[in-house]
Amino acid sequence: DARVTQTPRDKVTEMGQEVTMRCQPILGHNTVFWYRQTMMQGLELLAYFRNRAPLDDSGMPKDRFSAEMPDATLATLKIQPSEPRDSAVYFCASGLSTGGFEQFFGPGTRLTVL
Amino acid sequence: GENVEQHPSTLSVQEGDSAVIKCTYSDSASNYFPWYKQELGKGPQLIIDIRSNVGEKKDQRIAVTLNKTAKHFSLHITETQPEDSAVYFCAAAGSSNTGKLIFGQGTTLQVKP
């Protein structure tokens, strides 16, 4: 049963600390998306990659957020320094560009910045 | 850019009744429209999708209809069950062919036993 995995599932940190979230896309998928979910804003697209190359990161606050794909099996989203307004659930999703637009979501990382 | 509006924001039905959620989109070139179900504490799960060359698609108790002229699409759930209670999101893939999805704001569906 192929699934997107995300770690950690929960993260509590203090303002100013660095936070790194990790995602393992479904094996063989070549497109990875990072979303942020809050009650107020719903599902916001932060960044996405195809074949490990960033296609669009316009949804990310550039001064503190960064996203990378060190290899095809790992995507990372980093926040440095973190702020209380970054508290949200962060989802990773993966898909296959040649298979249409289906995206499959991971379980999310719940981030709380105190 | 693409914008997706979803209504209603909350919906309460009795078990066995039907539920309908509606979405409108702005980009006439959009060609892919998925629906996701999100249960508490979990990620959104793709439940059904439709492409622009099809007007209706059905999978057991779930159906989706698409009206490209009016730029709206709907999710229909028949014979609702308590386990259908969740947040439902519609989305549309923009015309850029990047696979980027624009999501609606979500509908919280409550099915009362």
Side-chain angles (χ1 to χ4, degrees):
Chain A
D1 185 23
R3 298 185 183 186
V4 175
T5 58
Q6 290 185 247
T7 57
R9 292 295 314 276
D10 281 282
K11 176 72 176 179
V12 180
T13 190
E14 294 192 347
M15 183 174 62
Q17 296 297 305
E18 177 178 299
V19 175
T20 298
M21 291 169 270
R22 294 176 175 80
C23 166
Q24 183 173 20
I26 292 172
L27 190 64
H29 281 187
N30 65 342
T31 310
V32 174
F33 303 81
W34 282 106
Y35 292 91
R36 175 169 63 184
Q37 186 175 40
T38 62
M39 290 296 293
M40 296 300 294
Q41 297 295 328
L43 274 165
E44 301 174 82
L45 179 65
L46 297 175
Y48 66 104
F49 296 77
R50 179 173 293 169
N51 297 323
R52 296 175 56 199
L55 287 190
D56 186 351
D57 61 1
S58 59
M60 270 191 340
K62 300 290 192 307
D63 57 338
R64 299 184 300 107
F65 283 59
S66 62
E68 295 180 343
M69 280 202 74
D71 61 60
T73 64
L74 177 65
T76 62
L77 180 66
K78 189 175 295 186
I79 307 174
Q80 167 64 18
S82 58
E83 297 181 1
R85 59 180 168 153
D86 300 330
S87 297
V89 181
Y90 291 81
F91 289 105
C92 171
S94 74
L96 186 59
S97 61
T98 56
F101 296 123
E102 294 91 343
Q103 292 184 24
F104 300 89
F105 282 74
T109 293
R110 180 177 297 278
L111 174 65
T112 303
V113 183
L114 303 175
Chain B
E2 174 71 283
N3 184 49
V4 177
E5 297 286 336
Q6 182 172 346
H7 300 280
S9 57
T10 60
L11 180 60
S12 181
V13 299
Q14 287 295 134
E15 182 178 0
D17 287 350
S18 295
V20 180
I21 303 170
K22 299 182 179 182
C23 289
T24 59
Y25 60 98
S26 59
D27 187 347
S28 57
S30 292
N31 54 13
Y32 174 67
F33 308 92
W35 287 88
Y36 286 82
K37 175 183 180 183
Q38 186 176 22
E39 297 175 328
L40 199 61
K42 297 184 178 180
Q45 179 186 9
L46 178 67
I47 56 172
I48 194 167
D49 56 15
I50 191 167
R51 299 186 188 274
S52 58
N53 57 347
V54 175
E56 183 174 359
K57 184 176 178 181
K58 191 172 181 181
D59 182 4
Q60 299 182 355
R61 297 186 297 107
I62 294 174
V64 57
T65 58
L66 171 65
N67 183 327
K68 286 210 71 180
T69 303
K71 290 190 285 186
H72 67 70
F73 55 112
S74 301
L75 177 72
H76 304 252
I77 306 174
T78 59
E79 301 172 22
T80 54
Q81 301 167 2
E83 51 265 39
D84 294 330
S85 296
V87 180
Y88 291 81
F89 291 95
C90 64
S95 56
S96 61
N97 204 35
T98 60
K100 180 177 174 179
L101 292 177
I102 306 300
F103 283 85
Q105 288 296 98
T107 296
T108 300
L109 172 64
Q110 181 187 27
V111 180
K112 299 177 183 177

